[in-house]
């Protein structure tokens, strides 16, 4: 009789199959890193994505298709931002006399041995064609993962492509993907998010001061109270328009100030 009663009121025995103990659920939630202490993440952000901290206040990722697209967009923007930030810093170190904000104007483009200055129209045309082809292939892989693994010209060449956005193979020459892939993905997206914020800061700094990030840092360290965010409000060092090979392009300023 005693054995029967014990089995009847044993909370472990009476819990339905497949239902975890409450203590385990609380422990799992406590172990996960979230964007703020005590917040409850949406059910669709279950921590499976690299860098997922449960942050989606307006529910952009509620639709699974939209979530996949947003993740792919974040990843590609993060990679471009890391390249852009590294390029801005490197250019200011190598050629500090050239302001990075205007380095893309035709008169500042590098000269070519044959034909003189680089033609901006031709450069943009090649960029459009090549980037369009790459982006269409990336979009196809998002829609149907693995559909573009094989080289369209050299059919014997292919990439493993374990996840969309991570082709591997020749795109992983150092073999980072052979180790803890999730850790490497998390590091990449965290650095990419930081780079996106840094690029936005570089842009606002350039508009407010007309200088590069390294020179701005040096000025601030030399006079923290005289060179800071408050001392540059109302001034914008972006011209009202630029002439690009005869085409007058109006510009705008994200920083609160008057265009020069």
């Amino acid at each position: 009789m005693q054995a029967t009663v014990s089995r009847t009121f044993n909370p472990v025995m009476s819990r339905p199959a497949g239902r975890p103990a409450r203590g385990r659920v609380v422990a799992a939630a406590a172990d996960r890193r979230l964007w703020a202490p005590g917040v409850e993440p949406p059910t669709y952000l279950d921590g499976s994505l690299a860098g997922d901290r449960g942050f989606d206040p307006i529910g952009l990722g509620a639709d699974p298709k939209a979530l996949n697209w947003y993740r792919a967009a974040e990843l590609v923007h993060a990679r471009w931002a890391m390249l852009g930030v590294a390029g801005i810093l490197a250019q200011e170190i190598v050629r500090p006399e050239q302001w990075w904000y205007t380095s893309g104007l035709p008169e500042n483009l590098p000269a070519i041995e044959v034909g003189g200055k680089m033609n901006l129209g031709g450069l943009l045309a090649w960029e459009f064609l090549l980037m369009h082809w790459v982006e269409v292939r990336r979009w196809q892989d998002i829609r149907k993962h693995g559909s573009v693994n094989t080289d369209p010209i050299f059919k014997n060449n292919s990439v493993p492509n374990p996840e969309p956005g991570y082709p591997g193979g020749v795109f992983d020459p150092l073999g980072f993907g052979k180790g803890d892939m999730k850790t490497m993905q998390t590091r990449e997206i965290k650095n990419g998010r930081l780079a996106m914020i840094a690029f936005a800061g570089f842009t606002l700094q350039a508009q407010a001061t007309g200088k590069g990030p390294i020179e701005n840092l040096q000025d601030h360290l030399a006079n923290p109270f005289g060179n800071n965010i408050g001392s540059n409000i109302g001034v914008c060092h972006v011209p009202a328009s630029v002439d690009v090979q005869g085409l007058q392009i109006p510009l705008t300023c994200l920083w609160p100030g008057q265009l020069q």
Side-chain angles (χ1 to χ4, degrees), residues 103-141:
S103 60
L105 292 177
E107 60 268 24
N108 296 325
L109 292 176
I112 302 177
E113 294 296 332
V114 180
K117 283 287 185 180
M118 185 181 298
N119 183 278
L120 187 61
L123 176 63
L124 292 176
W126 275 108
E127 287 183 353
F128 176 81
L129 290 173
L130 295 176
M131 290 300 298
H132 176 74
W133 183 79
V134 171
E135 286 299 294
V136 168
R137 300 274 293 181
R138 190 172 67 88
W139 173 70
Q140 290 174 332
D141 190 53

Side-chain angles (χ1 to χ4, degrees), residues 245-256:
Q245 296 179 341
L247 178 64
Q248 201 72 17
I249 302 177
L251 302 179
T252 186
C253 191
L254 301 176
W255 182 255

Side-chain angles (χ1 to χ4, degrees), residues 198-223:
F199 183 80
F202 288 0
T203 302
L204 291 176
Q205 278 186 331
Q207 294 182 351
T209 66
K211 301 177 181 179
I214 297 178
E215 188 176 0
N216 278 319
L217 177 60
Q218 292 172 340
D219 291 344
H220 176 69
L221 293 177
N223 185 6

Side-chain angles (χ1 to χ4, degrees), residues 2-123:
Q2 185 177 358
T4 304
V5 173
S6 299
R7 287 196 300 268
T8 303
F9 292 96
N10 190 321
V12 177
M13 296 293 292
S14 61
R15 186 169 57 246
R19 182 177 177 180
R22 179 178 177 82
R24 294 180 183 175
V25 175
V26 174
D31 291 341
R32 182 183 172 189
R33 294 182 179 180
L34 299 173
W35 67 276
V39 298
E40 184 177 350
T43 55
Y44 50 86
L45 295 180
D46 56 4
S48 58
L49 293 174
D52 175 14
R53 297 293 183 264
F55 182 78
D56 189 12
I58 57 177
L60 294 175
D63 181 358
K65 291 184 178 180
L67 179 61
N68 291 335
W69 176 256
Y70 286 132
R71 164 36 61 101
E74 180 187 37
L75 185 60
V76 73
H77 280 84
R79 289 169 176 171
W80 278 118
M82 287 188 284
L83 287 173
V85 167
I88 290 171
L89 295 174
Q91 186 248 302
E92 188 172 357
I93 293 172
V94 176
R95 292 193 58 191
E97 73 280 1
Q98 174 59 56
W99 186 30
W100 74 267
Y101 200 86
T102 58
S103 60
L105 292 177
E107 60 268 24
N108 296 325
L109 292 176
I112 302 177
E113 294 296 332
V114 180
K117 283 287 185 180
M118 185 181 298
N119 183 278
L120 187 61
L123 176 63

